[in-house]
Amino acid sequence: MKMKLIISASIACFFAACSGNQKPVDLTEAKTAGSKKYEIGCITEKALSSYAQLPGQLNPFNEVNLFPKVNGFVKQIFVDRGSQVRKGQLLITLEAPEMESQLQAANSRYLQAQETANASKEKYTRLKQAAAEPGSVSPLDLDNAISRMKADIAIANAEKSNVESVRTVSGYLHIYAPFDGMIVQRNVSPGALVAPGKSTDQPMLVLQDIRRLRLEVAIPENYVDKVDLKQPVTFTFNAMPGIQHTAKISRLANTLGNMRSEAIEIDVINKDGQLKPGMYGEVKIPMLSGAKSLVVPNSAIVRSTEMEYIIVVKNGKAKLVDIKEGLANKNATEVFGNLAANDQIIQNASDDIKEGDLIK
C-alpha cells in the first residue's frame, strides 16, 4: 500500500511540473547553443622577408678515421688527442714479425729466379755463338734455349714484383697523416692488436682539419629556388652570442636529401681556433626579392599522426587541405598546398571537424 502511494505521488509531481510555468527542456536546442563557435578568417599573401633564419652546424673541412690496412700490434704512438699534425707525419707504428719473414722469403725466391734467368741467358748466348758454325747446333736446340731463357726471365720478373708487393704491405705498418689537422680521438694503446676495420668499427685515430670549417645549413624544399646565392650570409653561434660572422655561400648539394631539403655549405675560416666542429648557430639566408608566400595563423593548422592540414570553408562546408609548413613565428606560419590567397579558413581549427561538416 505504501509502494502505491509513493508511485502515485511521483506521477502527480511530474504532471504538476508540466502543467506549471516551467517548460520542458529542449535538449536539441541546448546542444546547439552550447556547440563550439568557429572564427573564420582568410589566407593572406605576403612577401617573404629579405632572409630566412635557419639552424646550421659546423663540421670539419676534412675528417678521416684512421684504420690499419694489415693485422699487427701497436708498437709506438707518437700523437694523442689534441695533437697538431702535419701532412706526412708519422703517427703510429705497428709490428708484425710474420711480414719480415715473408719479405725475406720473397727476396730469396727472387734471387734464385734471377740466377736461373742469368744461367739460361748465358746458355742461349753460347749456343747462338756455336750456331755460327754450320751443323754444330741444331735449330731445335737453339729454339729450346731461347724459349727457356724467356721463361726464366719472366719468372724472375714475377718474383721481383712479389718482393715489391710484400715490401709495400710492410709499409702499411707505418701510419702517416694524410693532411694537416688535429687528432680529436685516440682509441688504442701500445700493445693493442689491430686489424683492418669497417666504417662501423672504432678507428685508431680520428683526424680533423679545423683550420677551415664547413657551416652546413638545410634549406627546405620550398625555398631552394628562392635563395640568393650572390648575397652574403650572416650567422651567429649559440656558444658565442653577440658575435656576428659574415661569409658567402660556398657550395650547394643540388639535390634533396631524406628530409626533403637541400644542403648548402659556407666556408668559415677558424683563425684563432675558437670555433669547434659540432657547434650550432643561427644562419640568416638571403632570399630573392619579390618572392611571396601564403600565411595562416598558427591556430589554424591541425597536426595529426596521419596528416597536417588546415580547414578551408567552401559553400558553408569544411574541406580539409593538406599543407607543408614553411617559416613560422609565434603568431603565423607560412604554408604550401592547394590553396589561394583570400580562401576562408577556420582560425581555431581542431581535428573534431570532419570533411563536409556544416560550418555556421
Side-chain angles (χ1 to χ4, degrees):
M1 184 65 178
K2 292 182 180 180
M3 181 67 69
K4 292 181 180 180
L5 290 174
I6 294 173
I7 295 175
S8 299
S10 300
I11 294 173
C13 291
F14 175 76
F15 283 106
C18 291
S19 60
N21 294 330
Q22 296 182 358
K23 296 182 179 180
V25 178
D26 189 344
L27 298 178
T28 304
E29 289 182 2
K31 183 178 180 181
T32 303
S35 61
K36 187 175 181 180
K37 295 181 180 180
Y38 299 105
E39 298 178 9
I40 306 299
C42 293
I43 298 177
T44 57
E45 186 176 24
K46 296 181 179 180
L48 285 172
S49 59
S50 60
Y51 63 88
Q53 188 162 342
L54 299 169
Q57 181 178 358
L58 277 178
N59 296 317
F61 194 81
N62 289 311
E63 182 177 13
V64 64
N65 295 333
L66 297 176
F67 292 93
K69 289 187 176 181
V70 293
N71 297 332
F73 292 93
V74 177
K75 184 177 182 181
Q76 285 181 298
I77 303 177
F78 302 99
V79 293
D80 209 328
R81 177 172 287 177
S83 299
Q84 293 278 358
V85 299
R86 306 290 295 178
K87 181 179 180 180
Q89 180 178 335
L90 180 62
L91 306 179
I92 295 179
T93 58
L94 308 177
E95 57 181 353
E98 65 275 10
M99 284 194 179
E100 296 180 4
S101 301
Q102 292 174 4
L103 183 59
Q104 291 178 358
N107 272 322
S108 298
R109 289 194 299 270
Y110 169 59
L111 292 175
Q112 183 179 2
Q114 194 174 29
E115 291 298 327
T116 302
N118 291 335
S120 298
K121 184 177 181 180
E122 186 70 21
K123 180 178 180 181
Y124 167 72
T125 301
R126 289 196 303 267
L127 286 176
K128 186 177 181 180
Q129 292 174 352
E133 294 291 333
S136 59
V137 178
S138 67
L140 180 60
D141 291 340
L142 192 60
D143 291 341
N144 290 338
I146 192 173
S147 297
R148 184 63 184 177
M149 180 190 67
K150 291 180 178 180
D152 290 340
I153 291 176
I155 292 173
N157 290 335
E159 293 297 338
K160 181 179 180 181
S161 298
N162 185 46
V163 171
E164 294 175 352
S165 176
V166 175
R167 187 175 287 115
T168 299
V169 173
S170 298
Y172 295 154
L173 297 175
H174 297 81
I175 311 298
Y176 298 93
F179 52 80
D180 297 350
M182 177 182 289
I183 302 297
V184 297
Q185 282 189 35
R186 169 189 160 179
N187 301 313
V188 293
S189 298
L193 175 63
V194 294
K198 300 172 290 186
S199 58
T200 56
D201 295 337
Q202 193 176 45
M204 295 188 299
L205 300 172
V206 177
L207 175 63
Q208 291 181 350
D209 180 4
I210 61 172
R211 295 174 303 171
R212 183 169 56 165
L213 301 171
R214 302 172 187 260
L215 179 59
E216 184 174 336
V217 184
I219 305 296
E221 178 181 4
N222 300 303
Y223 293 103
V224 294
D225 60 337
K226 301 179 179 69
V227 177
D228 192 346
L229 301 176
K230 298 179 181 179
Q231 297 297 323
V233 175
T234 59
F235 48 93
T236 58
F237 297 104
N238 300 342
M240 305 169 62
I243 302 177
Q244 183 170 297
H245 306 266
T246 303
K248 283 195 173 183
I249 297 175
S250 304
R251 63 193 67 85
L252 59 161
N254 285 315
T255 185
L256 298 183
N258 296 332
M259 301 300 293
R260 306 305 302 168
S261 61
E262 180 184 16
I264 66 169
E265 290 184 348
I266 304 158
D267 289 349
V268 181
I269 304 301
N270 192 15
K271 293 181 179 179
D272 50 8
Q274 291 186 354
L275 300 178
K276 310 295 182 183
M279 280 178 135
Y280 285 96
E282 295 293 331
V283 188
K284 292 182 178 180
I285 305 294
M287 293 292 175
L288 296 172
S289 60
K292 292 186 176 181
S293 58
L294 301 178
V295 179
V296 300
N298 293 337
S299 59
I301 300 176
V302 182
R303 301 174 180 86
S304 67
T305 56
E306 298 177 353
M307 58 189 296
E308 187 176 22
Y309 60 93
I310 63 174
I311 302 174
V312 177
V313 180
K314 286 192 176 182
N315 301 323
K317 294 184 178 181
K319 181 181 179 182
L320 279 56
V321 179
D322 290 346
I323 63 162
K324 290 184 179 179
E325 293 188 38
L327 297 178
N329 57 32
K330 61 182 180 180
N331 296 319
T333 300
E334 191 177 16
V335 295
F336 302 90
N338 188 18
L339 302 167
N342 299 322
D343 280 351
Q344 288 189 336
I345 60 171
I346 297 178
Q347 297 191 79
N348 55 338
S350 67
D351 56 3
D352 295 333
I353 305 174
K354 307 302 180 184
E355 180 80 20
D357 283 357
L358 293 175
I359 305 297
K360 294 184 180 180

